[in-house]
Amino acid sequence: MQLTKLAKNHWVLAAFLLACLIYPFVIDSRYLTRVAMEVFFFAAMGNAWNIIGGYGKQTSWASSTFVAVGAYTSILLFVRHGNISPWISMIPAMGLAVVLAIIIGLPCFRMRGVYFAIATIACTTIFRQLLIYFSDFTGGSLGVAFMIRRGNSLWNLHFDSAIPFYFIALAWLLITVGIVTYIERNRLGHYLRAICDDQDAAESLGIKSSGVKLTAFIVSGMMLSVTGVLYVFQLGFADPNTFASHDMSVRIAIVAILGGMGNKWGPTVGALVSVPLLELSNAYLQHIGGGGAGWVMYGLLIVIIVLFKPNGIISIFDNFDLKKLGLGGGASGRP
Amino acid sequence: MLQVTVNGLLIGGVYALIAVGLTMIHGVMKIVNFAQGDFLVIGLYLTYVFYQFLPDGALPYWLILPVAASMYLIGCIIFKLSINRVIGQGDSNYILLTIGLSFVIQNMLQLMFGANFRSVPISNELRFGSFEMFGTIFTIPRVIAFCAAALFVVFVNWFLSRTDVGRAMRATSENRVVAESLGIRTSRIYVIAFALGTMFAGVSGLLLSPMFLVFPTLGAAFSTVAMSAIVLGGLGNIKGALLGGIIIGLVESFVSTYISVTVALAGINLVLMLVLIFRPYGLLGKRRRTA
């Protein structure tokens, strides 16, 4: 397992962290700082997806539902119920994520393979349509936006500069990596890998596969929900197309799959590649085909990775000798 | 009530046609094509382009041959370039590949034609034509689409059970290794099956051209509906696809009439979930060990 060698290579990790720490000050561009923040958020969501999709090989397309639950819970509590702090509304957000994970998970985990994939898509679609339908409560397809907010407040998660949020996102990314590492080393991780290798064999050894999957799904959903809370306070609004769409689920899953499924650094690597590619090409190729050019490149990247590096970008580093690679090559913080 | 049922049946027939194309691909190579709706949109754009060469007021249905032929070719090319490599490599690989393809197709179309809505300039007589029977209104484009879909389904059934290629297809679907040892060139069967599936999507696009405006991201909705249809009916089963398509058409029609158009899609998916809870392998599907 050279992958773990990469992960355990403290030098690469330290270089990455250092690059992340000085990045916003060196770059000194609000836009590029926000792009990096987007990278961290998507890496964190990819990490959450990785628990169920990577380690458990249950390709879930329901991620956006959990992100949307977090986002809507916190923004509605803030806007409609007297500025309740996002740090407090994280608790009901996580609670709702657990409930939803059970509602979605119980029927879906009885299915396998493509049936599971399509069932999760069906659940997300139902959720999105309900968000649009109950427009009195959720603002319909227009969504909810914050009133104008002023001043810096960590309690209300609002800052004039992009830099504090950048560090919050970075911290949350590191926490999610920590959670994934913890799961990887503990019983849940071993069970998940056993199920993913051969579900029937794992069950015959006494592992209750649906229970294990459901636990992983709940953990993953809670992490996505928290990310949704942070993300919506950074973005300033919540609408079904940004948060609850199928595209969002796809982007989350693709971050992890591009980077490398079942690898705790995979989603980070995947986000470092895919998010800047999409953001920058949307920004600079805007005039070509109404932004279509950026998405063509994104799609081609997915196709190329699936065809030639099915184990993800991180598997490119498998064949490298890290000592030859030196410190700077593997993980630069520059998206 | 009767009107709602008729509307549902008519649109369900078209969904069934898309779903049959999807089943053709899945049945032979065990791949669910998440880009099927985008192939349908390619068909719509091809109709749009070819229609400009026809005299004014001509029926778009004359284009069936050129559209089908081009779609077959496009299917072959896409298969050879990409799908070929992920057969039998597990679910997530092909799901991801076809999702990537769908991004590429949607945005290539957007690059070529722009994001604006376009419509095939068909005469209004056809577009809004209708006739009345048993106190219900039948719109002509839908009736034609339904009949064509029914014809195609009958044709596919005949093709699979009576022709050599069709039999070879079923054999490959049953067991590739055995089929190969019996002298069937399975790699060719794969190409044919995929290209036929693509062709069905394109032809559905042609049939839908009088009813829908064309824009690059139209396909996503059809992909979801077609996938729901084949899963509802049971994967790899032409009759299942037919049944699934019609049920979905009916559900859509009833929900949008009696509740709200916004939740029609939710209704379809709710029915799908309910069916899957009680029959995890679809209505007509058989349990198959995948591990």
Side-chain angles (χ1 to χ4, degrees):
Chain A
M1 280 295 281
Q2 283 193 303
L3 293 178
T4 42
K5 228 168 92 187
L6 173 69
K8 278 187 184 153
N9 194 314
H10 298 297
W11 283 108
V12 176
L13 182 58
F16 171 70
L17 277 180
L18 190 67
C20 289
L21 285 177
I22 59 171
Y23 171 80
F25 303 106
V26 175
I27 291 296
D28 194 30
S29 141
R30 195 181 167 89
Y31 172 65
L32 288 177
T33 309
R34 288 175 76 103
V35 171
M37 190 158 60
E38 193 94 355
V39 170
F40 297 151
F41 276 131
F42 270 92
M45 292 191 266
N47 275 330
W49 185 90
N50 207 9
I51 296 174
I52 186 70
Y55 292 97
K57 278 271 160 62
Q58 303 293 314
T59 327
S60 150
W61 304 101
S63 338
S64 68
T65 303
F66 298 107
V67 181
V69 156
Y72 270 92
T73 313
S74 59
I75 197 171
L76 285 174
L77 284 177
F78 190 89
V79 175
R80 303 257 168 90
H81 299 275
N83 297 6
I84 294 178
S85 160
W87 302 106
I88 293 174
S89 54
M90 259 178 205
I91 296 161
M94 284 196 279
L96 279 174
V98 173
V99 174
L100 264 176
I102 294 172
I103 295 175
I104 297 177
L106 276 181
C108 289
F109 284 126
R110 295 180 43 183
M111 302 159 209
R112 293 185 189 183
V114 73
Y115 284 95
F116 175 79
I118 288 173
T120 53
I121 293 178
C123 292
T124 335
T125 316
I126 296 174
F127 184 76
R128 187 181 67 242
Q129 300 282 310
L130 292 180
L131 269 186
I132 298 173
Y133 184 66
F134 292 106
S135 52
D136 297 342
F137 185 57
T138 61
S141 46
L142 292 177
V144 202
F146 288 109
M147 308 292 148
I148 297 163
R149 292 179 296 165
R150 275 186 219 293
N152 292 316
S153 156
L154 181 63
W155 183 243
N156 287 336
L157 271 182
H158 179 261
F159 309 98
D160 289 330
S161 144
I163 293 176
F165 239 116
Y166 171 91
F167 284 106
I168 292 176
L170 178 61
W172 173 238
L173 167 63
L174 294 176
I175 294 172
T176 57
V177 172
I179 298 174
V180 172
T181 315
Y182 178 80
I183 290 176
E184 196 179 49
R185 289 182 188 162
N186 279 279
R187 203 159 56 177
L188 183 60
H190 297 306
Y191 280 178
L192 277 172
R193 255 168 287 169
I195 291 171
C196 130
D197 283 343
D198 187 339
Q199 180 168 336
D200 298 293
E203 278 188 349
S204 72
L205 292 173
I207 299 175
K208 286 208 172 59
S209 68
S210 52
V212 173
K213 286 186 210 164
L214 196 61
T215 317
F217 198 49
I218 289 173
V219 174
S220 154
M222 283 162 72
M223 285 161 72
L224 286 167
S225 175
V226 171
T227 321
V229 173
L230 297 174
Y231 193 68
V232 77
F233 272 77
Q234 182 261 319
L235 206 62
F237 65 92
D239 70 344
N241 267 343
T242 315
F243 283 94
S245 64
H246 178 54
D247 273 6
M248 183 70 173
S249 302
V250 170
R251 285 185 67 187
I252 294 172
I254 278 171
V255 158
I257 301 171
L258 274 186
M261 286 191 278
N263 182 297
K264 64 176 173 249
W265 293 106
T268 311
V269 174
L272 275 173
V273 175
S274 74
V275 176
L277 174 83
L278 199 57
E279 286 289 330
L280 297 179
S281 58
N282 277 347
Y284 293 111
L285 303 176
Q286 221 170 15
H287 48 285
I288 307 175
W295 285 97
V296 171
M297 281 168 63
Y298 186 66
L300 280 178
L301 176 74
I302 300 168
V303 171
I304 289 167
I305 291 289
V306 176
L307 291 182
F308 300 106
K309 280 280 162 211
N311 293 326
I313 297 171
I314 210 159
S315 68
I316 295 172
F317 300 112
D318 280 3
N319 306 325
F320 280 150
D321 191 346
L322 281 167
K323 277 175 193 150
K324 266 189 226 158
L325 198 67
L327 300 177
S332 141
R334 308 248 144 67
Chain B
M1 185 74 179
L2 189 62
Q3 179 72 58
V4 179
T5 317
V6 166
N7 286 348
L9 276 178
L10 290 183
I11 195 70
V14 180
Y15 290 160
L17 182 60
I18 312 172
V20 165
L22 207 52
T23 305
M24 198 115 186
I25 295 173
H26 180 268
V28 174
M29 57 198 94
K30 308 286 171 281
I31 278 178
V32 175
N33 180 11
F34 279 58
Q36 190 77 358
D38 301 296
F39 288 146
L40 180 146
V41 180
I42 298 183
L44 268 168
Y45 272 107
L46 282 175
T47 315
Y48 176 80
V49 171
F50 288 150
Y51 194 75
Q52 289 162 357
F53 298 110
L54 287 185
D56 277 346
L59 288 174
Y61 305 111
W62 295 114
L63 291 171
I64 195 153
L65 225 57
V67 168
S70 339
M71 285 311 291
Y72 192 88
L73 201 67
I74 291 173
C76 285
I77 294 169
I78 289 180
F79 183 84
K80 289 275 185 190
L81 284 180
S82 57
I83 309 285
N84 212 352
R85 296 158 179 265
V86 294
I87 291 174
Q89 283 194 351
D91 287 337
S92 42
N93 277 359
Y94 73 72
I95 293 179
L96 210 71
L97 178 71
T98 49
I99 285 179
L101 275 179
S102 133
F103 277 126
V104 175
I105 294 173
Q106 279 177 18
N107 294 290
M108 289 287 262
L109 288 172
Q110 187 167 332
L111 284 177
M112 285 193 281
F113 297 97
N116 294 338
F117 288 54
R118 283 159 196 266
S119 72
V120 183
I122 293 161
S123 67
N124 283 345
E125 283 156 46
L126 173 65
R127 195 185 295 276
F128 302 111
S130 61
F131 59 88
E132 211 182 310
M133 210 161 56
F134 314 118
T136 45
I137 295 163
F138 292 75
T139 43
I140 288 175
R142 288 189 183 216
V143 173
I144 295 179
F146 180 81
C147 296
L151 258 175
F152 266 102
V153 172
V154 172
F155 166 75
V156 168
N157 245 334
W158 170 81
F159 175 78
L160 284 180
S161 56
R162 292 274 180 269
T163 63
D164 282 348
V165 182
R167 289 199 187 109
M169 241 177 222
R170 282 191 300 151
T172 314
S173 138
E174 208 64 42
N175 190 327
R176 183 180 184 176
V177 181
V178 174
E180 200 134 87
S181 72
L182 291 172
I184 295 169
R185 283 166 65 187
T186 50
S187 50
R188 272 196 59 191
I189 296 297
Y190 281 161
V191 185
I192 295 174
F194 191 82
L196 278 179
T198 321
M199 194 181 91
F200 278 118
V203 171
S204 329
L206 169 79
L207 292 171
L208 292 177
S209 64
M211 296 174 243
F212 284 90
L213 294 172
V214 201
F215 55 98
T217 48
L218 175 68
F222 285 109
S223 290
T224 331
V225 167
M227 281 189 297
S228 314
I230 64 167
V231 171
L232 191 69
L235 284 179
N237 188 324
I238 300 275
K239 284 185 201 111
L242 193 61
L243 184 69
I246 285 174
I247 292 179
I248 279 180
L250 285 173
V251 170
E252 186 191 72
S253 172
F254 273 93
V255 173
S256 36
T257 312
Y258 292 108
I259 305 173
S260 159
V261 184
T262 31
V263 286
L265 208 53
I268 294 173
N269 285 297
L270 198 64
V271 171
L272 174 69
M273 284 306 293
L274 287 177
V275 169
L276 284 183
I277 288 171
F278 294 108
R279 294 194 57 102
Y281 293 85
L283 286 174
L284 302 178
K286 286 184 202 81
R287 192 188 170 107
R288 196 175 283 157
R289 220 187 99 132
T290 46

